[in-house]
Amino acid sequence: MQIDQFELHARIEQRHWWFVARRQIVRSLIEQVVPPHQGHLVLDVGCGTGANLAALSDGYRCVGVDTSADAVHLAARRFPWIDFVHGFAPDDVPEAIEQASLVMLNDVLEHVPDDFELMSRLLAAVRPGTHLLVTVPADMWLWSPHDESFGHFRRYEQWRFERVWAGLPVEPLLVSYFNSRLYPVVRWVRERNRRRGSVQGEAGTDFRMPPAPINAVLTRWFAGEGNVLLRALQRRQGGYRTGVSLIALLRRGEGVCELQHRPADVEEDVHFPLHAELSAAH
């Protein structure tokens, strides 16, 4: 991500429907497996400009780490009561990751060339019993200039998402698509943008603040998916079968976690050639 995109996030993420509703969903799921308690530490890997952690800081000890110095500077300035670290996980936050009750990776894996390696290294560093909450953008047919601007390597199908932790000592408690109710609208917008080679919002993205009444409706509509995801978590099945994003709640099990790399049978979704291919298909 670029500095203008981080600045955009810092300006709108505490009001924009997508950020607000996603935080509500994430918190409701986290509270089911790690009840609020200042003895429970949440580590946010790829914390960006900090609002996701700030939304949890009333109930948890919080540490954020990001590879962008710009993001960490904005986060620390906005939320000075939270510890933010400029660096890489797990190497630059050894104490936090060892103590963490839950590790978050909110829209991080799509930025990493070898997402298998990152996931295996994180799982090797956390204690058995630690939970991980992971979100990623879904469905390569939603690929658009928005993804290219953010430097994404891929969007995920559920099978591809689940391959990232396959064979590792981890128990999936919930794996589901989400941001599903608005999927048809988002797909229409993204396909139109892909054909035009343009974006709808600011800083090379599709993010912009809608009028307040529309923003409120979209927030309630998206956040309402949290009830479906909570039931799916409790039953260990169900959820949504399609959506703009995917979410997983995992629990680290016992056993040795060996370093993994992207398997040869998983072709990398390099974004620029694939964008050209998808554009030609339309």
Side-chain angles (χ1 to χ4, degrees), residues 8 11-12 15-19 146 189 192-193 199-203 205-211 214-215 218:
L8 173 64
R11 177 159 47 87
I12 70 172
R15 298 176 292 127
H16 189 281
W17 64 270
W18 184 83
F19 295 97
H146 175 89
V189 170
R192 184 184 65 175
N193 291 350
V199 294
Q200 292 292 305
E202 302 178 49
T205 77
D206 285 338
F207 287 127
R208 62 178 175 182
M209 281 299 304
I214 295 176
N215 191 61
L218 293 174

Side-chain angles (χ1 to χ4, degrees), residues 5-23:
Q5 293 168 346
F6 285 123
E7 290 176 344
L8 173 64
H9 280 203
R11 177 159 47 87
I12 70 172
E13 65 183 346
Q14 290 180 286
R15 298 176 292 127
H16 189 281
W17 64 270
W18 184 83
F19 295 97
V20 172
R22 188 178 67 157
R23 286 197 298 271

Side-chain angles (χ1 to χ4, degrees), residues 9 86 95 110 117 174 201 214 259:
H9 280 203
H86 174 220
E95 292 184 6
E110 68 275 13
E117 178 185 3
L174 169 71
I214 295 176
L259 180 66

Side-chain angles (χ1 to χ4, degrees), residues 19-29 55 219-220 223-224 226:
F19 295 97
V20 172
R22 188 178 67 157
R23 286 197 298 271
Q24 292 177 12
I25 291 170
V26 164
R27 173 142 191 172
S28 68
L29 294 172
T219 300
R220 288 195 298 271

Side-chain angles (χ1 to χ4, degrees), residues 1 33 59 95 111 150 164 184 189 196-197 199 215 234 236 248 280:
M1 288 177 60
V33 295
E95 292 184 6
H111 294 276
F150 273 118
V164 177
V189 170
R196 294 178 175 181
V199 294
N215 191 61
Q234 292 161 358
R236 299 292 193 268

Side-chain angles (χ1 to χ4, degrees), residues 132-203:
L132 292 87
L133 189 140
V134 188
T135 66
V136 293
D139 191 351
M140 280 303 298
W141 286 108
L142 297 181
W143 189 269
S144 75
H146 175 89
D147 296 278
E148 295 178 2
S149 177
F150 273 118
H152 293 173
F153 283 90
R154 66 193 73 82
R155 300 182 72 93
Y156 289 78
E157 304 302 331
Q158 184 167 336
W159 71 268
R160 173 65 172 84
F161 189 34
E162 292 176 332
R163 281 291 300 274
V164 177
W165 61 81
L168 297 174
V170 62
E171 177 188 2
L173 305 180
L174 169 71
V175 183
S176 175
Y177 288 90
F178 75 126
N179 197 0
S180 299
R181 295 175 173 179
L182 293 167
Y183 174 82
V185 176
V186 173
R187 177 161 179 164
W188 178 80
V189 170
R190 293 289 174 86
E191 288 182 345
R192 184 184 65 175
N193 291 350
R194 188 167 64 237
R195 289 193 298 268
R196 294 178 175 181
S198 64
V199 294
Q200 292 292 305
E202 302 178 49

Side-chain angles (χ1 to χ4, degrees), residues 56-267:
L56 296 170
S57 62
D58 63 324
Y60 304 86
R61 289 192 297 136
C62 293
V63 177
V65 58
D66 202 287
T67 59
S68 168
D70 294 323
V72 169
H73 174 73
L74 286 168
R77 187 176 67 188
R78 298 168 68 211
F79 310 111
W81 61 91
I82 298 175
D83 292 328
F84 292 101
V85 178
H86 174 220
F88 291 83
D91 296 348
D92 294 323
V93 283
E95 292 184 6
I97 201 161
E98 184 178 341
Q99 298 172 13
S101 299
L102 182 134
V103 176
M104 293 196 300
L105 293 93
N106 290 316
D107 290 3
V108 172
L109 293 179
E110 68 275 13
H111 294 276
V112 180
D114 193 338
D115 47 346
F116 289 81
E117 178 185 3
L118 176 60
M119 180 62 76
S120 64
R121 294 186 71 233
L122 290 173
L123 284 170
V126 301
R127 300 169 299 176
T130 301
H131 291 83
L132 292 87
L133 189 140
V134 188
T135 66
V136 293
D139 191 351
M140 280 303 298
W141 286 108
L142 297 181
W143 189 269
S144 75
H146 175 89
D147 296 278
E148 295 178 2
S149 177
F150 273 118
H152 293 173
F153 283 90
R154 66 193 73 82
R155 300 182 72 93
Y156 289 78
E157 304 302 331
Q158 184 167 336
W159 71 268
R160 173 65 172 84
F161 189 34
E162 292 176 332
R163 281 291 300 274
V164 177
W165 61 81
L168 297 174
V170 62
E171 177 188 2
L173 305 180
L174 169 71
V175 183
S176 175
Y177 288 90
F178 75 126
N179 197 0
S180 299
R181 295 175 173 179
L182 293 167
Y183 174 82
V185 176
V186 173
R187 177 161 179 164
W188 178 80
V189 170
R190 293 289 174 86
E191 288 182 345
R192 184 184 65 175
N193 291 350
R194 188 167 64 237
R195 289 193 298 268
R196 294 178 175 181
S198 64
V199 294
Q200 292 292 305
E202 302 178 49
T205 77
D206 285 338
F207 287 127
R208 62 178 175 182
M209 281 299 304
I214 295 176
N215 191 61
V217 169
L218 293 174
T219 300
R220 288 195 298 271
W221 190 243
F222 181 14
E225 295 184 10
N227 295 325
V228 174
L229 295 174
L230 282 173
R231 288 195 296 271
L233 172 62
Q234 292 161 358
R235 298 171 181 172
R236 299 292 193 268
Q237 62 180 355
Y240 291 99
R241 301 180 64 180
T242 190
V244 181
S245 300
L246 278 153
I247 189 166
L249 187 56
L250 314 172
R251 182 166 54 211
R252 169 68 154 95
E254 300 287 345
V256 176
C257 185
E258 296 183 356
L259 180 66
Q260 296 198 11
H261 293 283
R262 181 173 55 86
D265 64 334
V266 175
E267 296 183 2

